[in-house]
Coordinates of all heavy atoms in Angstrom, one line a residue:
S63 N 14.2 6.1 8.7 CA 14.7 5.5 9.9 C 15.5 6.5 10.7 O 16.5 7.1 10.2 CB 15.6 4.3 9.6 OG 16.0 3.6 10.7
D64 N 15.2 6.7 11.9 CA 15.9 7.6 12.8 C 16.6 6.9 14.0 O 16.0 6.4 14.9 CB 14.8 8.6 13.5 CG 15.5 9.7 14.3 OD1 16.7 9.6 14.5 OD2 14.8 10.7 14.7
P65 N 17.9 6.7 13.8 CA 18.7 5.9 14.8 C 18.7 6.5 16.1 O 18.8 5.8 17.2 CB 20.2 6.0 14.2 CG 20.1 6.5 12.8 CD 18.7 7.2 12.7
A66 N 18.5 7.9 16.2 CA 18.5 8.5 17.6 C 17.3 8.1 18.3 O 17.4 7.8 19.6 CB 18.6 10.0 17.4
T67 N 16.2 8.0 17.8 CA 14.8 7.7 18.5 C 14.5 6.2 18.2 O 13.6 5.7 19.0 CB 13.7 8.6 17.9 OG1 13.5 8.3 16.6 CG2 14.0 10.0 18.1
G68 N 15.0 5.6 17.3 CA 14.6 4.2 16.9 C 13.4 4.1 16.1 O 12.8 3.0 15.9
V69 N 12.8 5.3 15.6 CA 11.6 5.2 14.9 C 11.8 4.9 13.4 O 12.8 5.4 12.8 CB 10.8 6.6 15.0 CG1 9.6 6.7 14.1 CG2 10.4 6.8 16.5
V70 N 11.1 4.0 12.9 CA 11.2 3.6 11.5 C 9.8 3.8 10.9 O 8.8 3.4 11.4 CB 11.5 2.1 11.4 CG1 11.5 1.6 10.0 CG2 12.9 1.8 12.0
E71 N 9.7 4.5 9.7 CA 8.6 4.6 9.0 C 8.5 3.7 7.7 O 9.6 3.7 7.0 CB 8.3 6.1 8.6 CG 8.0 6.9 9.8 CD 7.6 8.3 9.5 OE1 7.5 8.7 8.2 OE2 7.3 9.1 10.3
V72 N 7.5 3.0 7.5 CA 7.4 2.1 6.3 C 6.1 2.5 5.5 O 5.1 2.7 6.1 CB 7.3 0.7 6.8 CG1 7.0 -0.3 5.5 CG2 8.5 0.2 7.6
R73 N 6.4 2.8 4.2 CA 5.3 3.0 3.3 C 4.8 1.6 2.8 O 5.6 0.9 2.3 CB 5.7 3.9 2.1 CG 6.0 5.3 2.5 CD 4.9 6.2 2.8 NE 3.9 6.2 1.6 CZ 2.6 6.3 1.8 NH1 2.1 6.4 3.0 NH2 1.8 6.3 0.7
A74 N 3.5 1.5 2.9 CA 3.0 0.2 2.4 C 1.7 0.4 1.6 O 0.9 1.3 1.8 CB 2.7 -0.8 3.6
D75 N 1.4 -0.6 0.8 CA 0.1 -0.6 0.1 C -0.3 -2.1 -0.1 O 0.4 -3.0 0.0 CB 0.2 0.1 -1.2 CG 1.0 -0.5 -2.2 OD1 0.8 -1.6 -2.7 OD2 2.0 0.2 -2.8
T76 N -1.7 -2.2 -0.4 CA -2.3 -3.5 -0.6 C -2.9 -3.5 -2.0 O -3.3 -2.4 -2.5 CB -3.4 -3.9 0.4 OG1 -4.4 -2.9 0.4 CG2 -2.8 -4.0 1.8
R77 N -2.9 -4.6 -2.7 CA -3.4 -4.7 -4.0 C -4.2 -6.0 -4.2 O -3.8 -7.1 -3.7 CB -2.3 -4.7 -5.1 CG -1.5 -3.4 -5.0 CD -0.1 -3.5 -5.9 NE 0.6 -2.2 -5.7 CZ 0.4 -1.2 -6.5 NH1 -0.3 -1.3 -7.5 NH2 1.2 -0.2 -6.3
D78 N -5.3 -5.8 -4.9 CA -6.1 -7.0 -5.3 C -5.7 -7.4 -6.6 O -5.9 -6.7 -7.6 CB -7.6 -6.6 -5.2 CG -8.5 -7.6 -5.8 OD1 -8.1 -8.8 -5.9 OD2 -9.6 -7.2 -6.1
L79 N -5.0 -8.5 -6.7 CA -4.5 -9.0 -8.0 C -5.4 -9.9 -8.8 O -5.1 -10.3 -9.9 CB -3.1 -9.7 -7.9 CG -2.0 -8.8 -7.2 CD1 -0.7 -9.7 -7.1 CD2 -1.8 -7.6 -8.0
G80 N -6.4 -10.3 -8.1 CA -7.4 -11.3 -8.7 C -8.8 -10.8 -8.8 O -9.3 -10.2 -9.8
N81 N -9.5 -11.1 -7.8 CA -11.0 -11.0 -7.8 C -11.5 -9.5 -7.7 O -12.4 -9.2 -7.0 CB -11.5 -11.9 -6.6 CG -13.0 -11.9 -6.6 OD1 -13.7 -11.8 -7.6 ND2 -13.6 -12.2 -5.4
S82 N -11.0 -8.7 -8.6 CA -11.4 -7.3 -8.5 C -12.7 -7.1 -9.2 O -13.1 -7.7 -10.2 CB -10.4 -6.4 -9.3 OG -10.8 -5.0 -9.2
F83 N -13.6 -6.3 -8.6 CA -14.9 -6.0 -9.1 C -14.8 -4.9 -10.2 O -15.7 -4.6 -10.8 CB -15.9 -5.7 -8.1 CG -15.5 -4.7 -7.2 CD1 -15.9 -3.3 -7.5 CD2 -14.8 -4.9 -6.0 CE1 -15.5 -2.3 -6.6 CE2 -14.4 -3.8 -5.2 CZ -14.8 -2.6 -5.4
L84 N -13.7 -4.3 -10.3 CA -13.5 -3.2 -11.3 C -12.7 -3.8 -12.5 O -11.8 -4.6 -12.3 CB -12.6 -2.1 -10.6 CG -13.2 -1.3 -9.5 CD1 -12.2 -0.3 -8.9 CD2 -14.5 -0.6 -9.9
P85 N -13.2 -3.4 -13.7 CA -12.6 -4.0 -14.9 C -11.1 -3.8 -15.0 O -10.3 -4.6 -15.3 CB -13.3 -3.3 -16.0 CG -14.5 -2.7 -15.5 CD -14.3 -2.5 -14.0
D86 N -10.6 -2.6 -14.5 CA -9.2 -2.3 -14.6 C -8.6 -2.2 -13.2 O -7.5 -1.7 -12.9 CB -9.0 -0.9 -15.3 CG -9.7 0.3 -14.4 OD1 -10.4 0.0 -13.6 OD2 -9.2 1.4 -14.7
G87 N -9.2 -2.9 -12.2 CA -8.8 -2.8 -10.8 C -7.7 -3.7 -10.4 O -7.0 -3.4 -9.5
A88 N -7.5 -4.8 -11.1 CA -6.5 -5.7 -10.8 C -5.0 -5.1 -10.9 O -4.7 -4.5 -11.8 CB -6.5 -7.0 -11.7
G89 N -4.3 -5.2 -9.8 CA -3.0 -4.7 -9.7 C -2.9 -3.3 -9.2 O -1.8 -2.7 -9.0
K90 N -4.0 -2.5 -9.1 CA -3.9 -1.2 -8.6 C -4.1 -1.2 -7.1 O -4.6 -2.1 -6.5 CB -5.1 -0.3 -9.2 CG -5.0 0.0 -10.7 CD -6.0 0.9 -11.1 CE -5.9 1.2 -12.6 NZ -6.9 2.0 -13.1
A91 N -3.4 -0.2 -6.5 CA -3.5 -0.1 -5.0 C -4.9 0.0 -4.5 O -5.6 0.8 -5.0 CB -2.6 1.0 -4.5
A92 N -5.3 -0.7 -3.5 CA -6.6 -0.7 -2.9 C -6.5 0.2 -1.7 O -7.5 0.9 -1.3 CB -7.0 -2.1 -2.5
A93 N -5.3 0.2 -1.0 CA -5.1 1.0 0.2 C -3.6 1.3 0.3 O -2.8 0.5 -0.2 CB -5.6 0.3 1.4
E94 N -3.3 2.4 1.0 CA -1.9 2.7 1.3 C -1.8 3.4 2.6 O -2.8 4.0 3.0 CB -1.2 3.5 0.1 CG -1.8 4.9 -0.1 CD -1.1 5.6 -1.2 OE1 -0.5 5.0 -2.1 OE2 -1.3 6.9 -1.2
A95 N -0.7 3.3 3.2 CA -0.5 3.9 4.6 C 0.9 4.0 4.9 O 1.7 3.4 4.3 CB -1.3 3.3 5.6
T96 N 1.3 4.8 5.9 CA 2.6 4.9 6.5 C 2.5 4.2 7.9 O 1.6 4.7 8.7 CB 3.1 6.4 6.7 OG1 3.1 7.0 5.4 CG2 4.4 6.3 7.3

């Protein structure tokens, strides 16, 4: 977070906790971004 410019960066990810088509896919990040 930069108070001088007001810019905030957030790290985020999404996870499929259920209907994963991969045997070990449940709970692993499907996507991530800033």
Side-chain angles (χ1 to χ4, degrees):
S63 179
D64 185 348
T67 62
V69 173
V70 176
E71 290 189 1
V72 175
R73 291 286 305 148
D75 66 58
T76 59
R77 296 168 186 270
D78 169 19
L79 299 182
N81 188 22
S82 178
F83 56 89
L84 297 175
D86 64 343
K90 290 184 178 178
E94 66 181 18
T96 300

